[in-house]
Amino acid sequence: MPINIVLLLLIFALIFHRKKPKKSLKSLSAALLILLLSAFAPFSDTMMTAIENDYPPYVKENLAIDYIVVLGCNHSANTKLPVTSQLANCSLQRMVEALRIYQLHPEARIITSGYGGSNSVSNAETVKQSLVLLGVPAQKIITENFPKDTEEEAQLIAPRVQGTQVILVTNADHMPRSMNYFQAQGIYPIAAPTGYWVKNPDGMKNWAYYMPSSENLQQSSIAWYESIGLIVQWFKSILN
């Protein structure tokens, strides 16, 4: 990740600052350049848009949909909070998009997915409880409580949805890898990306847009992570 590279370069700069000052200065300069570039909105937006724009947002099609698959993300189980407030932003975004699509296709069943991590309740179950709270009948929701990552989700869900019409819901930055995993299992879903980082790339920008920020750094890190993930997928497809 960019921040890890920056930290390593700063450590090298400290190690070399007495015996090899030129190397130390180069390491320091490289660290600052990477940090500023990663936190610079035009750079982070360009990286993220290249990933998020692979699949358009879902609009209603004249098709009977059998399943709406909602990939897992994160949550923090806390009985003092409403179940919708226990969801991390990524899970909340996916749950809301699944609800929107279900209202367009009430004939569909929803499959929620994802294990609990350190929580006693799985992410799949937490998302299901949130959907039920918002009016989706419990009997219309199937939970896959054990997958730990996207590849496992595709492997476990694929046999259930084989030969059916499927919509896949996940964050826009995560959609390219997710589609690859499902297609590797012989499933070709309709993509329904949500949770866009870059919502209006062509809009007017004020001066604050060009100021480095931690949010831009996080965005660059996620774009970098997903890009590495796609490269790993490509290598694995060659080796397999």
Side-chain angles (χ1 to χ4, degrees):
M1 295 297 102
I3 194 66
N4 301 110
I5 297 171
V6 168
L7 289 172
L8 285 171
L9 288 169
L10 290 175
I11 291 170
F12 290 149
L14 286 172
I15 293 171
F16 295 138
H17 83 284
R18 287 189 178 180
K19 293 185 177 179
K20 298 179 179 179
K22 287 185 178 180
K23 282 190 176 181
S24 176
L25 182 60
K26 287 180 180 179
S27 293
L28 180 62
S29 301
L32 290 173
L33 179 62
I34 293 171
L35 182 62
L36 289 173
L37 195 62
S38 299
F40 187 52
F43 176 81
S44 61
D45 281 4
T46 300
M47 281 191 68
M48 187 59 80
T49 301
I51 298 171
E52 290 188 328
N53 283 4
D54 277 9
Y55 296 93
Y58 179 78
V59 293
K60 186 175 182 179
E61 299 186 18
N62 294 323
L63 294 170
I65 301 299
D66 298 296
Y67 293 100
I68 302 166
V69 176
V70 188
L71 297 187
C73 196
N74 299 313
H75 70 284
S76 297
N78 183 349
T79 55
K80 295 180 181 179
L81 296 175
V83 67
T84 49
S85 295
Q86 296 175 33
L87 296 174
N89 283 341
C90 50
S91 279
L92 186 63
Q93 290 163 341
R94 297 174 193 188
M95 184 274 293
V96 170
E97 180 66 5
L99 179 62
R100 181 184 78 86
I101 295 171
Y102 176 76
Q103 290 172 344
L104 296 174
H105 297 284
E107 75 280 3
R109 299 187 74 185
I110 299 174
I111 300 176
T112 61
S113 179
Y115 81 132
S118 59
N119 299 292
S120 57
V121 181
S122 71
N123 190 251
E125 181 61 29
T126 306
V127 173
K128 176 182 177 178
Q129 291 174 13
S130 298
L131 287 167
V132 170
L133 187 67
L134 296 173
V136 179
Q139 64 269 23
K140 296 295 293 284
I141 305 171
I142 302 165
T143 57
E144 292 285 358
N145 297 298
F146 304 107
K148 296 181 179 179
D149 57 33
T150 311
E151 187 171 17
E152 286 188 10
E153 288 177 312
Q155 291 168 349
L156 285 170
I157 294 171
R160 184 189 293 275
V161 302
Q162 197 77 41
T164 65
Q165 195 67 253
V166 180
I167 293 177
L168 181 64
V169 178
T170 190
N171 284 66
D173 58 77
H174 186 234
M175 186 59 79
R177 281 200 305 131
S178 303
M179 291 290 283
N180 289 344
Y181 279 129
F182 276 83
Q183 289 169 5
Q185 298 298 319
I187 306 299
Y188 296 87
I190 300 169
T194 188
Y196 286 85
W197 281 87
V198 186
K199 293 181 174 62
N200 188 15
D202 301 321
M204 293 291 292
K205 309 293 191 297
N206 59 23
W207 64 269
Y209 172 79
Y210 298 97
M211 297 298 292
S213 73
S214 58
E215 183 179 357
N216 293 331
L217 178 59
Q218 182 185 9
Q219 181 177 308
S220 294
S221 297
I222 291 172
W224 181 250
Y225 176 88
E226 290 297 333
S227 298
I228 291 173
L230 288 167
I231 293 169
V232 170
Q233 273 188 329
W234 181 74
F235 274 112
K236 287 175 74 174
S237 67
I238 292 175
L239 295 174
N240 292 336

